[in-house]
Amino acid sequence: MYIGQTGQSLRKRINGHKSDVKNYNIHKPVGEHFNLSGHAITDMKVAILKQKNFKSRLQRETAELEFICKLDTINLGLNRDLEWLSHYASAELKLLEEATISICKSLVENNPRTGNLGALIKVFLSRTKELKISAECQNHLFIWQAHNALFIICCLLKVFICQMSEEELQLHFTYEERMPGSYGVECEDLIEELLCCLIQLIVEIPLLDITYSISLEAVTTLLVFLSCQLFHKEILRESIIHKYLMRGRCLPYTSRLVKTLLYNFIRQERSPPPGSHVFQQQTDGGGLLYGFASGVARGRLQKRKKDFIKAGLWTVFTLGGVGSKPAPQQEQSSPLANQSLLLLLVLANLTDAPDTPNPYRQAIMSFKNTQDSTAFPSPSPHAFQINFNSLYTALCEQQKSDQATLLLYILLHQNSNVRTYMLARTDMENLVLPILEILYQVEERNSHHVYMALIILLILTEDDGFNRSIHEVILKNITWYSERVLTEISLGSLLILVVIRTIQYNMTRTRDKYLHTNCLAALANMSAQFRSLHQYAAQRIISLFSLLSKKHNKVLEQATQTLRGSLSSDDSPLPDYAQDLNVIEEVIRMMLEIINSCLTNSLHHNPNLVYALLYKRDLFEQFRTHPSFQDIMQNIDLVISFFSSRLEQAGAQLSVERVLEIIKQGAVALPKDRLRKFPELKFKYVEEEQPEEFFIPYVWSLVYNSAVALYWNPQDIQLFTMDSG
C-alpha cells in the first residue's frame, strides 16, 4: 500500500505512477515495487481515502501524514521517500515564525530596559552547569527545562541576527534590568559564555535518548549564531562571532568539537523513538519554561502561552515525541548527524583572520587514524585521532546528500592522512560507485553537487595506484545504469562511461566549460593506465570523438557561410565563430591526447579500443593534415595503418572474435619504439583563489535547504539567491 496526495486530477497522478513503472524508474517506490518479480502494472489498484477542497498544500500533506501514521505504510507499505516531511516541518516552522515574530520584536524593543534576553541566557547557563550529572542520573525534568530554555534562546537569536548587525546583537547581550537609583557594573561577556557553554554541552554531555534533543538544539543554536553570514555579506571575512569561536575560551575545545561532530556524523544515531525522551506534551500547548519565556518576551504584556508555540507544531520539534500525533521516523534518519555535519562544514569554511588561521580547518587538515601510532608533526595544536574505517564506511553510505559529498571533498583535498588511507583501501568501489551515481543522475542533481563529485574523481585520478586498481575491480549488474545492460564491467570502464556521459550531457545542455575541463582532466589522468577496456567503454570514447568532430564541422560550415554572406551584405556584426572553433579544437585535441596516451602506454591491454578505432577510422582522416593535430595524429594514424594492413592480409568477412585475435597478435608484434613518446598527461586539482566566495554561499545554501527545524524567510537572505544551491 502506498499513501499519496495530489493537487492535480487523480488521473494525472496515477498516470505519473504508471509512467514510473513503464520507464523502470526504480528510484520511486511505486516504480520499484511493480518492477519486482511477480508484479505487474495490471495489479495496481487505486482508492480515494479522503477528498476535500484543501486550502493549501500543507493541509493536504497533513492529511496524508495522518493516513501514513494510521495505516503504518512506512513499515507495512511503500512510503519510503519522506523528503516531503522536511517541507511539512518547514511549513510548520514558517507558521511558528509568523506566530512569534511580534513577540520577538517586542522583546527587541523592551530588552534595553528589561535585560530579559540576558536573564533568559543566565537561566540556561545556570541549568547547564549540572546537565552532565542530570544525564547520568536520568533527571528528565531538569534536562527538559534546560532544552526548553535553549530552544527559546535559539528562536530569539534567529530574529535578532536577521534584523540587526552583529554590533547591535553584541549590545543586546550586555543589557541588564536596572532598578531605580542603581548603577551598572561591567557585565560579563555573555556571548562568549553562551558559545563556550554550547560547545561544552556538545562535547561533554553523553549522547543518550534523554539528551539527544538538547544536543541537537545546541548544534542548531551554534548554526544560528553563525548565520549572520546569511544576512550580511560584508561579514563574509570578518565577524565578531567568528572571533569568539577562533580564540579565547572557545579555542581549547576546537579539536574536541570537530571530533564530536565527525563522530555524530559517523554514528548516524537515530532520533529517539516516540515516548523514549524527555518531552511530555502539556495540555495547554506549552511547557514550564514556555510560560516563563512568553512573559519574558512581552515584558509586562499579557501572558498567552498558546501564542508562543502551537501544540501541533511541538510534534515536529520533539522529533516524534509524545504529542497529538507522533511524526513518522525516517529510515536511517539522524537529525543530529545531519545538523552536526552542516555545522562542521560551516566551521571548516570560516575565513582566516589576519593574525589567526581557522583552527577548525587546521583540525580537519591534521587529524589521524586511531591505528596510526606515529607522532604528530609539530606544531599541531588541534590534532586528534579518529577511527578511519568508521569514517570511510559513513562517507560511502551517505553520498546521496550534498553535504556528505562536500565533506568527502574537503577531507580528500585537505587531509593527506585521509587521502592516503582511502587510496590504500581494497574496497574503493564502495566509495566510487556512489560518486558515479551522482554524476549519472546529473539531470536530477544540482550543479554544485555534480561539481563536487567530479572534483573528487579528479583528485582520486591523480594517483596512479588508483588508476591501475580500478580496472582490477569487476562489478556485476549495475542496475542504475540504464542506457545498456552491464552484466559485468570493471570499475575503471564504468568510470569512463559515466564521465563521457557527463561530457555529452554538458555539450547538449549546460555547456559549462569548467565541467568539460574537469571531466577531460580525469580521463587524461587515467588514460595511461587504461586496462582491458569494456567494448562499450571503448565505443563511447570513439563516439564522443565523433560527436566533437560533427560539432567542429558544423561550426566550420556556419563560419564559412557567414563569411560568404558578409561579403555581399552591409556591415552588420558577425558571430564570433573563431572562439567557438578554438574551444572545440581544444577539446578535440585533449580527446586525441587521451587516445594517444592509451595506445602509447597500454596498447596490448586494450584490443577493444583498437577495434573501435578501426571501425571508425574514417573519422580521423580529416585531422591528419590539420595543423592543430598533426603531431598527435602520428601515433593514431600509425596504429590504424598497422592493424588495417594485418586485417587485410587475414582476408575478408572476419568475425569479431577473429578481428580481436588479430589485434592482440599485432599488439605484441608492433615495435614500441615506432610510437612517438609524448609528455605524460597529468592534471592536478588546485582550488581557485578566494575559494570562500564559492564555498561559503554553497554551505549556507545546504544549511538553508537541509537543516532540521530551522526556517529562514528567503526574502531576508542576502548571501545567495534561491536558485544558486
Side-chain angles (χ1 to χ4, degrees):
M1 182 183 294
Y2 176 81
I3 304 295
Q5 57 77 29
T6 182
Q8 303 174 319
S9 68
L10 181 62
R11 180 188 294 275
K12 284 185 178 179
R13 179 72 165 123
I14 299 306
N15 283 342
H17 286 308
K18 288 181 176 179
S19 175
D20 289 337
V21 177
K22 292 175 181 176
N23 294 322
Y24 298 95
N25 189 353
I26 59 173
H27 299 294
K28 298 290 183 68
V30 176
E32 178 187 22
H33 179 77
F34 284 99
N35 276 297
L36 294 173
S37 177
H39 296 68
I41 197 169
T42 53
D43 298 328
M44 190 183 293
K45 299 290 187 291
V46 181
I48 298 175
L49 299 176
K50 188 171 186 178
Q51 190 169 8
K52 183 180 176 181
N53 185 23
F54 293 105
K55 294 181 179 179
S56 68
R57 176 178 174 179
L58 177 60
Q59 286 187 350
R60 290 200 314 272
E61 289 178 342
T62 303
E64 179 187 26
L65 176 59
E66 289 175 359
F67 281 110
I68 288 173
C69 294
K70 183 177 181 179
L71 301 173
D72 195 14
T73 55
I74 302 295
N75 297 309
L76 305 177
L78 302 179
N79 287 94
R80 292 287 183 270
D81 181 8
L82 295 186
E83 288 182 3
W84 60 270
L85 190 59
S86 63
H87 168 78
Y88 176 83
S90 177
E92 289 281 4
L93 289 165
K94 184 178 179 181
L95 291 177
L96 172 65
E97 180 142 319
E98 291 171 351
T100 59
I101 192 71
S102 60
I103 301 170
C104 295
K105 286 182 177 179
S106 177
L107 187 141
V108 171
E109 293 172 6
N110 295 328
N111 191 54
R113 174 174 53 85
T114 64
N116 277 333
L117 178 64
L120 177 59
I121 289 170
K122 288 175 183 177
V123 169
F124 170 70
L125 292 174
S126 68
R127 294 281 175 178
T128 56
K129 291 175 182 176
E130 300 176 31
L131 205 54
K132 190 173 182 180
I133 298 172
S134 299
E136 292 169 353
C137 299
Q138 299 282 304
N139 189 333
H140 288 224
L141 180 62
F142 193 95
I143 296 172
W144 176 45
Q145 292 172 340
H147 176 273
N148 280 358
L150 182 55
F151 171 70
I152 297 164
I153 290 168
C154 187
C155 288
L156 296 174
L157 276 175
K158 252 170 87 297
V159 176
F160 274 63
I161 288 170
C162 178
Q163 295 192 352
M164 62 184 66
S165 68
E166 281 192 305
E167 289 75 17
E168 291 175 288
L169 176 68
Q170 194 174 31
L171 197 58
H172 271 278
F173 271 76
T174 65
Y175 293 135
E176 287 187 332
E177 186 175 11
R178 300 275 186 258
M179 300 301 294
S182 65
Y183 295 93
V185 294
E186 188 175 346
C187 302
E188 70 271 42
D189 196 330
L190 267 187
I191 290 185
E192 184 171 36
E193 192 169 348
L194 178 57
L195 286 169
C196 197
C197 176
L198 292 171
I199 293 173
Q200 288 173 333
L201 195 160
I202 293 167
V203 303
E204 293 180 354
I205 303 302
L207 187 60
L208 309 169
D209 278 358
I210 63 170
T211 61
Y212 188 99
S213 291
I214 195 168
S215 297
L216 174 60
E217 201 64 55
V219 174
T220 302
T221 307
L222 276 179
L223 274 173
V224 169
F225 253 122
L226 289 160
S227 66
C228 293
Q229 290 180 324
L230 277 174
F231 313 104
H232 310 286
K233 280 186 175 181
E234 67 276 7
I235 64 168
L236 199 66
R237 291 180 176 79
E238 291 192 17
S239 163
I240 294 170
I241 304 300
H242 295 180
K243 291 176 183 176
Y244 281 118
L245 288 170
M246 291 167 64
R247 62 186 70 176
R249 292 174 57 190
C250 295
L251 187 61
Y253 292 96
T254 296
S255 59
R256 291 178 66 190
L257 178 58
V258 172
K259 184 175 182 177
T260 302
L261 295 175
L262 273 173
Y263 268 127
N264 285 347
F265 167 70
I266 289 169
R267 289 168 181 154
Q268 293 289 316
E269 293 282 354
R270 296 188 180 194
S271 56
S276 68
H277 51 67
V278 301
F279 304 106
Q280 301 294 322
Q281 185 80 7
Q282 301 298 306
T283 56
D284 62 357
L288 178 66
L289 266 169
Y290 281 105
F292 163 71
S294 203
V296 166
R298 291 173 174 76
R300 288 168 175 71
L301 296 177
Q302 182 183 4
K303 256 185 171 179
R304 283 159 54 210
K305 285 183 279 184
K306 286 186 181 179
D307 285 347
F308 191 80
I309 187 162
K310 299 181 178 180
L313 190 61
W314 190 229
T315 302
V316 177
F317 283 125
T318 55
L319 304 170
V322 177
S324 57
K325 286 185 178 65
Q329 209 171 355
Q330 294 189 35
E331 271 191 35
Q332 304 299 324
S333 170
S334 175
L336 180 60
N338 180 67
Q339 215 87 328
S340 296
L341 177 53
L342 291 170
L343 176 58
L344 182 63
L345 294 173
V346 170
L347 292 171
N349 285 282
L350 296 180
T351 49
D352 296 334
D355 57 340
T356 311
N358 179 349
Y360 302 97
R361 187 183 299 122
Q362 287 184 318
I364 288 170
M365 291 171 66
S366 60
F367 73 83
K368 298 196 307 182
N369 193 358
T370 49
Q371 307 298 316
D372 188 346
S373 57
T374 59
F376 281 101
S378 182
S380 298
H382 307 296
F384 63 91
Q385 290 181 290
I386 203 166
N387 187 306
F388 276 16
N389 183 58
S390 300
L391 176 61
Y392 180 81
T393 301
L395 286 166
C396 292
E397 291 174 350
Q398 301 300 321
Q399 283 307 304
K400 288 186 178 179
S401 75
D402 284 69
Q403 46 267 38
T405 304
L406 182 54
L407 175 63
L408 175 58
Y409 158 76
I410 290 172
L411 295 178
L412 280 173
H413 179 55
Q414 298 183 3
N415 190 312
S416 59
N417 300 317
V418 172
R419 184 168 61 252
T420 301
Y421 174 84
M422 289 187 176
L423 288 168
R425 294 282 303 204
T426 57
D427 60 348
M428 183 58 79
E429 67 273 14
N430 291 337
L431 185 69
V432 176
L433 280 173
I435 298 298
L436 294 183
E437 195 168 352
I438 293 168
L439 292 176
Y440 188 78
Q441 295 168 353
V442 60
E443 299 94 335
E444 302 169 21
R445 303 285 179 174
N446 70 69
S447 60
H448 293 347
H449 198 185
V450 172
Y451 285 147
M452 288 298 103
L454 189 54
I455 292 169
I456 287 167
L457 285 185
L458 180 55
I459 293 171
L460 292 174
T461 61
E462 291 171 12
D463 182 77
D464 283 340
F466 171 83
N467 294 333
R468 283 191 298 270
S469 64
I470 55 176
H471 292 287
E472 297 167 3
V473 178
I474 304 302
L475 309 169
K476 296 183 183 293
N477 299 319
I478 308 300
T479 55
W480 48 262
Y481 194 96
S482 59
E483 272 89 344
R484 179 166 173 158
V485 176
L486 299 174
T487 54
E488 187 172 291
I489 189 171
S490 71
L491 180 60
S493 289
L494 181 64
L495 196 158
I496 292 166
L497 284 175
V498 173
V499 171
I500 286 175
R501 183 180 185 273
T502 306
I503 294 173
Q504 291 179 325
Y505 174 83
N506 186 51
M507 286 175 64
T508 56
R509 305 281 185 86
T510 54
R511 299 181 182 179
D512 188 318
K513 185 179 179 181
Y514 180 80
L515 193 145
H516 249 36
T517 303
N518 284 284
C519 283
L520 290 167
L523 288 176
N525 284 347
M526 293 188 292
S527 59
Q529 306 292 337
F530 283 173
R531 294 289 188 278
S532 305
L533 289 184
H534 191 280
Q535 61 180 21
Y536 186 51
Q539 289 170 15
R540 298 308 296 165
I541 291 172
I542 305 304
S543 294
L544 176 57
F545 185 81
S546 175
L547 183 64
L548 291 167
S549 175
K550 290 175 183 176
K551 197 171 184 63
H552 179 269
N553 293 340
K554 183 177 180 181
V555 174
L556 196 58
E557 184 181 345
Q558 288 174 336
T560 304
Q561 289 178 352
T562 304
L563 188 60
R564 286 172 181 167
S566 66
L567 297 175
S568 58
S569 63
D570 54 11
D571 296 332
S572 57
L574 300 176
D576 189 3
Y577 288 112
Q579 185 178 357
D580 291 345
L581 271 176
N582 285 336
V583 171
I584 294 171
E585 287 180 358
E586 283 177 13
V587 177
I588 287 175
R589 180 168 179 89
M590 178 73 87
M591 280 303 301
L592 288 172
E593 288 178 342
I594 289 167
I595 294 169
N596 179 72
S597 174
C598 176
L599 297 177
T600 306
N601 293 283
S602 52
L603 175 67
H604 58 292
H605 289 299
N606 291 291
N608 284 326
L609 182 60
V610 177
Y611 185 100
L613 266 176
L614 295 171
Y615 191 75
K616 293 285 188 178
R617 71 190 80 178
D618 293 344
L619 276 177
F620 299 88
E621 191 65 34
Q622 62 176 309
F623 300 105
R624 291 175 65 187
T625 56
H626 194 292
S628 299
F629 312 118
Q630 274 183 318
D631 58 335
I632 204 73
M633 276 297 302
Q634 288 179 17
N635 286 342
I636 296 172
D637 195 34
L638 188 150
V639 168
I640 291 174
S641 300
F642 177 82
F643 285 98
S644 296
S645 174
R646 293 182 74 93
L647 289 174
E648 287 172 8
Q649 293 172 15
Q653 297 183 346
L654 301 173
S655 66
V656 173
E657 293 76 13
R658 177 59 181 148
V659 171
L660 286 171
E661 185 183 340
I662 294 169
I663 290 172
K664 290 174 185 177
Q665 293 169 353
V668 176
L670 178 64
K672 292 184 179 179
D673 58 2
R674 290 186 61 185
L675 295 174
R676 177 185 168 187
K677 287 289 184 182
F678 284 83
E680 187 180 16
L681 285 180
K682 274 297 173 186
F683 294 87
K684 187 175 179 63
Y685 170 72
V686 179
E687 269 188 353
E688 295 184 7
E689 291 184 15
Q690 298 181 325
E692 64 273 8
E693 292 185 0
F694 168 80
F695 284 105
I696 291 177
Y698 178 36
V699 168
W700 277 107
S701 74
L702 297 181
V703 176
Y704 175 82
N705 288 307
S706 309
V708 178
L710 271 178
Y711 169 81
W712 286 283
N713 188 333
Q715 295 178 348
D716 295 330
I717 292 175
Q718 303 295 318
L719 184 61
F720 58 85
T721 56
M722 287 301 109
D723 59 350
S724 66

